[in-house]
Amino acid sequence: MIDNLSTQFQLRFRSLFDAGRGFAFPCDCSGHVDLDNLTERARNNYFYARAMVGRELTVPAVECTVLH
C-alpha cells in the first residue's frame, strides 16, 4: 500500500519526436492541475503543452511519484 503523504502525482506530456523531452506538472490523482499554484512561466508552459497535443506532444498521462 502506498502512503498518501509520500505520494505525489504529475501530469506528463511527452515529446512525439525527442525521447526524454516534454513537460510535467503537479496534479491530483485525477490529473487536475491547480493553475493558481503554478508560476506564470509554468502556467504558460501548461497551456502550450495542452495546445501542442497531437502536434508535438502526446496525450498527457497521470504518473505517480513516490517520495523517499
Side-chain angles (χ1 to χ4, degrees):
M1 179 178 270
I2 298 175
D3 181 7
N4 286 337
L5 296 177
S6 63
T7 303
Q8 293 182 346
F9 297 92
Q10 61 184 6
L11 189 65
R12 182 173 295 274
F13 297 80
R14 296 185 187 279
S15 172
L16 291 171
F17 307 106
D18 296 319
R21 304 276 315 216
F23 296 91
F25 305 94
C27 68
D28 63 15
C29 62
S30 299
H32 297 112
V33 175
D34 184 359
L35 296 175
D36 293 332
N37 284 331
L38 294 179
T39 64
E40 183 177 355
R41 182 176 182 178
R43 197 168 31 255
N44 287 336
N45 285 338
Y46 175 74
F47 291 133
Y48 174 81
R50 283 185 25 184
M52 292 297 107
V53 169
R55 296 181 183 122
E56 293 183 18
L57 302 168
T58 63
V59 173
V62 176
E63 296 181 355
C64 178
T65 304
V66 178
L67 301 177
H68 299 283

